[in-house]
Amino acid sequence: MGTVRDVRETRTGRGTKAKDARADRSDLSGAWAAYGVLLQHLRKRAGLSQQELGEAIGYSLEQVASVEQGRRPAKAAFTAAAERALEADGVLEALQGEVDRAKLPRFFRNFALIEAEAVSRFDFEPLLIPGLLQTEAYSRVLFSGHCPPLSEEIIDQHTEARLGRQKLLTRVPLAELSFIIGEEALRNPVGGSEVLRGQWQHLLQVGALRNVEVQIMPAASGFHSGLNGSFVALQTQEHRQLGYIESQEVGCVIHDPAEASALGLRYGKLRSQALNGVESARLIERLVGET
């Protein structure tokens, strides 16, 4: 391609994999350690021990110690409780975004920053439900099937981070969001019938939001430009057009105006070829009724 920047991760062999694993841990510990140092400072300023802080906010001594030492990321509920107990004036909340972003796979973190501030985001996914629309159960199944296998702790962190990104759906000011999903993704029994049924119902709920449009691309639609793969076309607050393409844990943010514009053009074409919003909802409702 022409100008494709911010390739977040590649793997070329065992040595590189080991280096990437160490880099991942370093990236994670950076944000978490900074939060932990600040939490410890605020706790000591308040004259509290770790045990006393834990009792005040409803967490164990071990949990408080783990957060302070940067071994465990603070969740939003932990931060909210600590803010109140320590009268932190929002300084911990200011770091929560970075703590949460560090839970994401490393190759995706750069795009996550851009995505969070987007005024519009158009997503084509032929084979899986898009991350912003996934239920917790569906998302957890995907991370649990990762190859090579992830630890339960990393699965939890990636799942939490993916669900946290879904704030974009209801963020104020509202972003204009559009999703075109391949019918194959709807019918692929990821996680089994119960998980899939819950995912269908969630799609209907999210699709009812006034800033969100969900369209289904029929399986028998013949050739269309989306057969080349999934992509995101996005517009920033500065009205710049960007694109994002991801495959096999390699993510590319596309800055070149011509290439980003081409993705937008393709998305418009796909929109005209997919079922409209009402027809798509009816298809999903039929699937729910059949199970």
Side-chain angles (χ1 to χ4, degrees), residues 25-37:
R25 287 193 291 271
S26 175
D27 284 351
L28 292 173
S29 63
W32 299 352
Y35 182 102
V37 169

Side-chain angles (χ1 to χ4, degrees), residues 264-275:
L265 182 64
R266 288 172 201 153
Y267 195 87
K269 184 71 171 178
L270 290 170
R271 239 175 169 171
S272 71
Q273 295 170 315
L275 300 178

Side-chain angles (χ1 to χ4, degrees), residues 3-284:
T3 304
V4 179
R5 300 181 184 133
D6 293 331
V7 178
R8 306 310 302 163
E9 182 177 59
T10 58
R11 287 185 168 85
T12 58
R14 293 183 181 178
T16 303
K17 286 176 121 177
K19 186 184 296 183
D20 285 344
R22 291 193 295 271
D24 270 343
R25 287 193 291 271
S26 175
D27 284 351
L28 292 173
S29 63
W32 299 352
Y35 182 102
V37 169
L38 181 58
L39 177 66
Q40 183 182 73
H41 168 74
L42 293 170
R43 174 180 62 77
K44 290 182 176 180
R45 186 186 69 177
L48 298 176
S49 67
Q50 290 179 337
Q51 179 72 44
E52 290 169 335
L53 176 59
E55 292 173 354
I57 64 177
Y59 288 83
S60 68
L61 167 63
E62 191 277 330
Q63 287 173 309
V64 173
S66 292
V67 172
E68 284 195 359
Q69 294 164 16
R71 292 186 289 109
R72 174 181 294 177
K75 295 185 179 181
F78 181 103
T79 295
E83 281 278 349
R84 292 191 295 270
L86 300 174
E87 299 181 356
D89 295 325
V91 294
L92 291 175
E93 289 180 350
L95 283 178
Q96 188 65 46
E98 284 299 307
V99 170
D100 290 340
R101 193 167 72 92
K103 299 175 189 175
L104 288 164
R106 187 162 69 96
F107 70 88
F108 188 77
R109 293 175 198 161
N110 204 43
F111 180 68
L113 273 178
I114 301 170
E115 172 190 74
E117 301 296 328
V119 296
S120 68
R121 186 188 188 281
F122 300 156
D123 191 332
F124 174 71
E125 285 286 350
L127 299 177
L128 292 171
I129 304 300
L132 288 177
L133 303 183
Q134 290 175 10
T135 62
E136 179 177 356
Y138 187 99
S139 180
R140 191 172 292 277
V141 168
L142 296 184
F143 286 124
S144 296
H146 188 275
C147 182
L150 302 173
S151 69
E152 287 299 320
E153 183 180 13
I154 296 298
I155 291 171
D156 288 344
Q157 290 166 8
H158 285 355
T159 302
E160 289 168 8
R162 177 163 291 178
L163 297 178
R165 287 174 50 223
Q166 295 177 5
K167 295 174 184 176
L168 180 61
L169 298 170
T170 55
R171 184 206 69 196
V172 178
L174 292 174
E176 183 70 24
L177 304 173
S178 173
F179 302 88
I180 301 175
I181 306 169
E183 186 178 347
E184 296 89 345
L186 288 183
R187 297 184 181 277
N188 187 2
V190 171
S193 59
E194 185 176 347
V195 170
L196 196 56
R197 180 183 174 84
Q199 182 62 71
W200 292 335
Q201 292 171 330
H202 184 65
L203 286 177
L204 291 172
Q205 294 169 0
V206 175
L209 297 173
R210 62 189 179 91
N211 63 310
V212 178
E213 182 176 46
V214 175
Q215 294 180 254
I216 305 303
M217 179 66 73
S221 57
F223 175 79
H224 55 77
S225 60
L227 293 178
N228 289 329
S230 62
F231 64 90
V232 175
L234 176 148
Q235 187 175 92
T236 70
Q237 291 180 334
E238 295 78 25
H239 303 291
R240 290 182 59 214
Q241 288 185 315
L242 300 176
Y244 179 72
I245 298 173
E246 176 185 316
S247 179
Q248 296 295 330
E249 297 188 327
V250 177
C252 299
V253 178
I254 299 174
H255 296 266
D256 182 81
E259 293 178 348
S261 178
L263 289 181
L265 182 64
R266 288 172 201 153
Y267 195 87
K269 184 71 171 178
L270 290 170
R271 239 175 169 171
S272 71
Q273 295 170 315
L275 300 178
N276 65 35
V278 173
E279 293 168 338
S280 297
R282 287 174 182 163
L283 172 58
I284 298 171

